[in-house]
Amino acid sequence: MNKEKELIDKLIDLAFAEDIGDGDHTTLSCIPDTAMGKSKLLIKEAGVLAGIEVAKEIFNRFDPTMKVEVFINDGTEVKPGDVAMVVEGKVQSLLQTERLMLNVMQRMSGIATMTRKYAKQLEGTHTRVLDTRKTTPGMRILEKMAVKIGGGVNHRIGLFDMILLKDNHVDFAGGIDKAITRAKDYCKAKGKDLKIEIEVRNFDELQQVLDLGGVDRIMFDNFTPEMTKKAVEMVAGKYETESSGGITFNTLRDYAECGVDFISVGALTHSVKGLDMSFKAC
């Protein structure tokens, strides 16, 4: 079992535990165990659909006898009135899985919709939009899946799959040179093949990185577009480049036109509105 599936399975189990507890007494009290029915996922707002595959897993884990017919796949632009899928099975199962499925799909679709908007703003440049670790605890895998569905690129998943030397790491380590050297020595000693990225706050720190080398990507933190253009020229294609900090949708294109490879945007996941949809009997 890979790490991604393991985390999703644990999330689904926890979500059912917090929602159903010792039983959905509303449903159990008024719906016979033998009652069968159908429900449709009705889209109520324009956006990008995401989470269909996770929804199928939610239904299957709760009740493998439920049948899912998908009409619209992940990554498709949807509009009010669209029916994304119809689910058939025990009415008790339809009612008990409804909220978890909607919570996941609304959140993922909201993220995919936001990401698609940012990705379109970058069309015509070679710059790609990245997500961050500013995610909902426990839902990171799903939220990063939604970013990819929307046309964005995943940064590192967590603290384990890449080394990112940020300002605090540099300050606590005693400077740029020590931070990079220790990171490289650590990877060698542990047999880890991890990419190393370092954040720089000014041109002096950037020059120190360029003099020392040994990294894969340089992040320009809170640089203006003018500073970014100069920084990209200084790097001259030797390393991947990333802009981060204080970048809004309105300034996104300005940074991209400086030639930076990536722009990381925390807003893709930390403050997104869910896409409106409902699960209705049919």
Side-chain angles (χ1 to χ4, degrees):
M1 181 183 293
N2 62 43
K3 184 73 171 175
E4 186 174 294
K5 186 178 188 314
E6 180 185 349
L7 289 171
I8 292 172
D9 287 347
K10 285 181 178 179
L11 170 62
I12 292 172
D13 290 342
L14 176 61
F16 278 135
E18 73 177 359
D19 195 34
I20 297 176
D22 70 347
D24 172 9
H25 302 303
T26 308
T27 295
L28 297 176
S29 67
C30 66
I31 304 295
D33 178 64
T34 54
M36 304 295 287
K38 291 182 182 180
S39 291
K40 63 183 178 182
L41 182 63
L42 180 66
I43 306 301
K44 301 168 74 174
E45 183 179 3
V48 176
L49 191 71
I52 284 286
E53 294 305 311
V54 181
K56 286 162 65 176
E57 185 62 26
I58 288 169
F59 293 131
N60 183 64
R61 280 179 71 80
F62 187 81
D63 179 355
T65 68
M66 299 174 82
K67 297 176 183 176
V68 182
E69 186 175 5
V70 176
F71 300 110
I72 304 175
N73 292 312
D74 286 341
T76 305
E77 295 191 6
V78 292
K79 62 185 185 304
D82 284 347
V83 175
M85 65 180 168
V86 170
V87 186
E88 183 177 2
K90 289 185 177 182
V91 174
Q92 286 189 355
S93 296
L94 292 171
L95 292 169
Q96 290 178 92
T97 53
E98 173 185 334
R99 179 45 54 196
L100 173 54
M101 179 276 294
L102 284 172
N103 283 348
V104 167
M105 288 211 58
Q106 288 183 291
R107 178 78 180 158
M108 289 184 69
S109 297
I111 290 170
T113 300
M114 173 78 83
T115 305
R116 181 70 55 85
K117 178 183 175 185
Y118 275 74
K120 283 185 175 179
Q121 185 74 348
L122 294 174
E123 284 180 354
T125 73
H126 82 277
T127 307
R128 304 294 300 277
V129 63
L130 291 175
D131 54 25
T132 69
R133 285 170 52 240
K134 296 175 183 176
T135 55
T136 309
M139 286 194 68
R140 179 174 298 172
I141 294 298
L142 301 187
E143 293 182 348
K144 283 181 171 279
M145 283 171 60
V147 167
K148 289 181 74 173
I149 289 168
V153 177
N154 292 155
H155 208 298
R156 56 182 179 164
I157 299 299
L159 297 174
F160 56 89
D161 59 335
M162 182 180 185
I163 288 179
L164 174 47
L165 302 166
K166 302 200 70 153
D167 52 357
N168 280 339
H169 298 97
V170 170
D171 291 343
F172 281 127
I176 295 281
D177 286 19
K178 288 181 179 177
I180 293 175
T181 301
R182 288 175 184 173
K184 290 172 65 180
D185 290 346
Y186 174 88
C187 287
K188 186 175 181 180
K190 299 291 184 180
K192 296 281 187 184
D193 182 22
L194 297 172
K195 283 195 169 186
I196 298 175
E197 178 174 6
I198 188 161
E199 177 182 280
V200 297
R201 293 165 283 192
N202 50 56
F203 292 117
D204 178 55
E205 289 188 344
L206 174 56
Q207 191 59 56
Q208 289 180 54
V209 174
L210 294 175
D211 289 342
L212 184 64
V215 299
D216 298 282
R217 185 184 302 172
I218 303 173
M219 178 193 292
F220 311 133
D221 182 46
N222 284 301
F223 279 35
T224 64
E226 293 75 23
M227 292 169 67
T228 303
K229 189 172 187 300
K230 179 181 176 182
V232 168
E233 290 170 355
M234 288 174 66
V235 174
K238 293 187 182 73
Y239 308 101
E240 291 181 337
T241 56
E242 176 184 338
S243 289
S244 179
I247 300 170
T248 67
F249 180 76
N250 291 332
T251 60
L252 190 74
R253 185 88 186 185
D254 295 335
Y255 282 88
E257 289 175 351
C258 294
V260 70
D261 296 311
F262 302 101
I263 299 174
S264 49
V265 180
L268 295 184
T269 54
H270 72 54
S271 55
V272 167
K273 173 189 169 295
L275 194 72
D276 195 11
M277 57 186 73
S278 61
F279 199 46
K280 294 294 185 185
C282 61

